[in-house]
Amino acid sequence: MKELLVRLDASAGKALYEQIYEYIRGEIMDGRLSRGERLPSARLLAQSLQVSRSTADAAYAQLASEGYLSARRGSGHYVCDVRALYHFTGGQKTDASRKYPSGYHFLPGQIDEEGFPYNAWRKSSKEALAALEASRGLLRPGEPQGEYALRKEIASYLHHARGVRCEPEQMIIGAGNEYLLQMLLQILGGPCRVVMESPTYLQAYDTFRNAGCPVAAVPMDADGMQADRIPEAFAGTDRQDCGVTLAYVMPSHQFPLGCVMPLRRRMELLAWAGAGDGRYLIEDDHDSEFRYKGRPVPSLQGMDRAGTVIYLGTFSNSIMPSIRISYLVLPSQLVELYHRNCGFYASTVSRIQQMTVCRFISCGYFERHLNKMRGIYKGKHDCLMQLLKGRPWVHRIYGDHAGLHIAVEIDSVRTEAEIIARAKAFGLDVQGMSGCCPAGFASPGARPVLLLGFGNLTKEQMQEGLAILEQCMG
Amino acid sequence: MKELLVRLDASAGKALYEQIYEYIRGEIMDGRLSRGERLPSARLLAQSLQVSRSTADAAYAQLASEGYLSARRGSGHYVCDVRALYHFTGGQKTDASRKYPSGYHFLPGQIDEEGFPYNAWRKSSKEALAALEASRGLLRPGEPQGEYALRKEIASYLHHARGVRCEPEQMIIGAGNEYLLQMLLQILGGPCRVVMESPTYLQAYDTFRNAGCPVAAVPMDADGMQADRIPEAFAGTDRQDCGVTLAYVMPSHQFPLGCVMPLRRRMELLAWAGAGDGRYLIEDDHDSEFRYKGRPVPSLQGMDRAGTVIYLGTFSNSIMPSIRISYLVLPSQLVELYHRNCGFYASTVSRIQQMTVCRFISCGYFERHLNKMRGIYKGKHDCLMQLLKGRPWVHRIYGDHAGLHIAVEIDSVRTEAEIIARAKAFGLDVQGMSGCCPAGFASPGARPVLLLGFGNLTKEQMQEGLAILEQCMG
């Protein structure tokens, strides 16, 4: 059993457990820790590195979850046979290959880092701070629902850009979609039955499950969730007691498949929701800002006359993922329930951040930014589609012409998990369709499907990344 | 039925429903709408003012909840007899009396607005933005647990100021206490049995109830929650199925009573938690920064050897309430559960806000600010105590020498609700003990108890406010 001489740098801005993880991973990849070798216990490791036990545990857990170590009960952690993952490229120095693609990946949800209007953002931030300083607003609690001025700006934007019809009074601003979904369940009085498209957005699924909701999959066709198959989703289950059923849909850009729901299907969903008490559609309007072909599709919410649509949007892709501002638009009959059940919660978004975004929108920067980014992302989209053309392993492409990723179904002798693990050994992160398929949910095909996020990639990075992926499929 | 000619100003930065509410309230107070008069239906009002139905509903709901209107089912809204509330001062012009105390109130949770180091904050904000711009971090998602650098700063501060012993890996940064409590329940696997001090902090109570937790009150004596009476809290209930019991306590400054828990009681609580599986103490270290007498009391968490204390703190009072940053410190055995159950949630605090606070702490501004504010608040505290001295209606004072409010038990012929309503008619907001006593929870005495927040009051405002309160008691 070797002693592990990890050099920890507390000021590195990287978690200690990550530093330990990276060190051990490097040792394994470079062959200095070999297959079957036993590692010191987490307790001993913690002692020798002068870190907490939980830090050592976290590092081992991460390594085990990625297949570098296997834990044997009561006996400790052993190095797995992972060399196959990266040795297939030949005898080249693994250290070099491991660092091959630096600073980029194919994960969806990445945004372009070149086109951001830093000056406008800095200006908005400075002016918002000055205004809040002058009004003393900085030192006072904000409005629980979110700053009225920001709600007004968002409502106006949603109206003209997405056809959403709402008053600021119907809107709740919160720290991310998952938080607002948790709040929505509290507004509705507790866990609800939920149906989701199959495959779907895992974070939303996990949020519903954590809140105690029974969640069922509804099959999709090319038009999205098959409305006529909602009733069978809960058939045969005992959970007939829940008063409310929520159908979570992404009509303008389904995640992960990227399809856009046509009008007829939208009408079917609205008809389903209108046909019974306690039925609501949650419209997650994910990535609707970026559409590269045809006319923009207005929101489901704007077509709703019965007050059955709950609209959810976010600035994560349209401004930046680190800002944590989402907005929920309630049908007016739920507004009173919000005040009754959740009115006591303070806003989860800092006032200064809200007012910065408010100014960013009201000064016209947001609109200009979106227009510019639409062009940039269309360019990246077209480039990736061009690069994929004629590749023999491309079986089918889902979700082109919109959003910041496409899904590619692949002809390969490897499984999806193998391809992803091999790519990871090169340091290239890519997500597979299986990450969108919890139990009961299904991929659209039997072949591997990879989600290729292109939001922050250059042409060179796409070329290099695709070359790596091709190697990993072989 | 009169038509209501509300002049709405969409650019006023005030919600439309609030403008309607204020207009109607003014009409009632000034006698232009008199007792028993029927108001237009919300539908008609919305139509005539060209606002949404929900806006009109919200205004009526607010007026009804404050006793200005009564709603009769199927018949509409009628003006209540509220003139008694403000006419007892004699024939003076009500409009003037209504606006008497302007811009101040006695609500707890208000912080001083004079001593805030705006320059240091602006500098921290600017530097954080510049650093995140340089590193591209602004446009990338942050760490789900919160930025490591900030967790390190907070851990170090908590260690030397509060005796908390933790690694940054044990800490989760989130958008407010209520959010972190909701997450804690998910970490623990779902609703838990909760016991709370009686009286207690209503927001935490409501959060637990919304999450489906059975919540029971445990009586307090002068030392805080009576540990030996925890077992009887759930006696006779059917909920024996929950695996986990949480005791929510505020040992360094109980809200609302302000008592500080002595060592012996702390040991008793730790002994209770250690004596059974699945027992945890939630230590809400509310207002612990501000103590004006004696030595600071170190945290319960620092005394815990069994990993039974979950520590919760916030920057709402120590920096500003509009910033929405709280921190939860988990015992190390719960860290893995956090990663398993809640690791998929993105952070709820924007990266730029986190790094601003990080810089505010690391540059020494936070420490300096706290020291300065301790002096300022001690001055305000002493001033209020001095002003209360010898007043015949003061029966007993709770929670002096710490925090930003005191609780005053009052000899009065009026009920607590009457005094609060009469003060409100003067435009003076004050909270009573009843706001801390949901069903099953009790005030410490039979008399009215008012919570007097002093954090942002001048001596003149205190004098004027107390004079108004005295009038309201008569």
Side-chain angles (χ1 to χ4, degrees), chain A residues 130-146:
Chain A
L132 281 172
E133 190 177 325
S135 71
R136 303 284 182 97
L138 194 63
L139 303 183
R140 293 177 188 165
E143 296 175 60
Q145 249 180 288

Side-chain angles (χ1 to χ4, degrees), chain A residues 267-385:
Chain A
M267 300 305 291
E268 288 171 17
L269 280 170
L270 287 170
W272 167 81
D277 272 350
R279 294 184 183 178
Y280 292 97
L281 296 163
I282 302 178
E283 176 177 28
D284 179 351
D285 207 24
H286 172 81
D287 268 358
S288 60
E289 297 85 2
F290 304 117
R291 201 170 153 65
Y292 317 125
K293 194 183 165 185
R295 279 168 41 201
V297 190
S299 68
L300 196 56
Q301 199 268 6
M303 299 168 56
D304 176 35
R305 292 293 170 275
T308 57
V309 175
I310 296 156
Y311 181 91
L312 183 62
T314 172
F315 289 119
S316 289
N317 286 354
S318 57
I319 297 183
M320 56 176 82
S322 80
I323 200 181
R324 316 305 301 137
I325 303 186
S326 292
Y327 35 91
L328 186 74
V329 178
L330 295 172
S332 36
Q333 79 271 23
L334 292 184
V335 171
E336 200 195 321
L337 276 180
Y338 157 74
H339 287 292
R340 193 188 307 160
N341 295 346
C342 296
F344 70 92
Y345 289 123
S347 171
T348 44
V349 186
S350 84
R351 202 163 190 173
I352 172 75
Q353 282 292 271
Q354 291 187 59
M355 293 316 291
T356 300
V357 171
C358 184
R359 205 160 271 262
F360 191 70
I361 302 176
S362 69
C363 293
Y365 300 129
F366 181 58
E367 200 87 45
R368 225 171 300 156
H369 176 55
L370 281 183
N371 288 335
K372 178 178 165 194
M373 295 318 294
R374 216 170 275 127
I376 290 178
Y377 289 135
K378 177 172 172 19
K380 288 175 188 277
H381 164 273
D382 293 352
C383 175
L384 180 57
M385 291 300 288

Side-chain angles (χ1 to χ4, degrees), chain A residues 10 52 113 118 122 133 136 138 140 152 167 175 182 186 210 322 324 341 347-348 350-351 353, chain B residues 10 52 113 118 122 133 136 138 140 152 167 175 182 186 210 322 324 341 347-348 350-351 353:
Chain A
S52 76
E113 293 177 3
Y118 281 109
R122 228 181 288 114
E133 190 177 325
R136 303 284 182 97
L138 194 63
R140 293 177 188 165
K152 222 179 115 197
E167 299 289 326
Q182 294 176 50
Q186 297 180 47
N210 265 14
S322 80
R324 316 305 301 137
N341 295 346
S347 171
T348 44
S350 84
R351 202 163 190 173
Q353 282 292 271
Chain B
S52 76
E113 293 177 4
Y118 281 109
R122 230 181 288 114
E133 189 177 326
R136 303 283 182 97
L138 194 63
R140 294 176 188 167
K152 222 179 116 197
E167 300 288 327
Q182 294 177 50
Q186 296 181 48
N210 265 14
S322 80
R324 315 307 299 137
N341 295 345
S347 172
T348 42
S350 84
R351 202 163 190 171
Q353 283 292 271

Side-chain angles (χ1 to χ4, degrees), chain A residues 18-37:
Chain A
E18 259 185 286
Q19 297 182 37
I20 299 171
Y21 155 81
E22 282 178 1
Y23 173 85
I24 298 178
R25 182 169 170 273
E27 294 290 289
I28 295 174
M29 300 296 281
D30 297 345
R32 283 189 293 271
L33 280 171
S34 49
R35 177 185 176 181
E37 200 158 343

Side-chain angles (χ1 to χ4, degrees), chain B residues 151-217:
Chain B
R151 284 185 276 141
K152 222 179 116 197
E153 287 297 341
I154 298 176
S156 151
Y157 162 71
L158 289 179
H159 181 70
H160 73 83
R162 306 290 310 125
V164 169
R165 307 183 324 160
C166 75
E167 300 288 327
E169 283 77 9
Q170 291 168 254
M171 187 180 294
I172 300 158
I173 290 169
N177 285 16
E178 284 71 33
Y179 173 73
L180 287 173
L181 289 177
Q182 294 177 50
M183 179 182 270
L184 175 63
L185 295 170
Q186 296 181 48
I187 292 170
L188 294 169
C192 304
R193 299 206 298 190
V194 180
V195 293
M196 300 181 86
E197 295 153 330
S198 170
T200 192
Y201 180 53
L202 194 63
Q203 258 106 317
Y205 172 88
D206 284 338
T207 302
F208 289 126
R209 294 292 296 148
N210 265 14
C213 298
V215 181

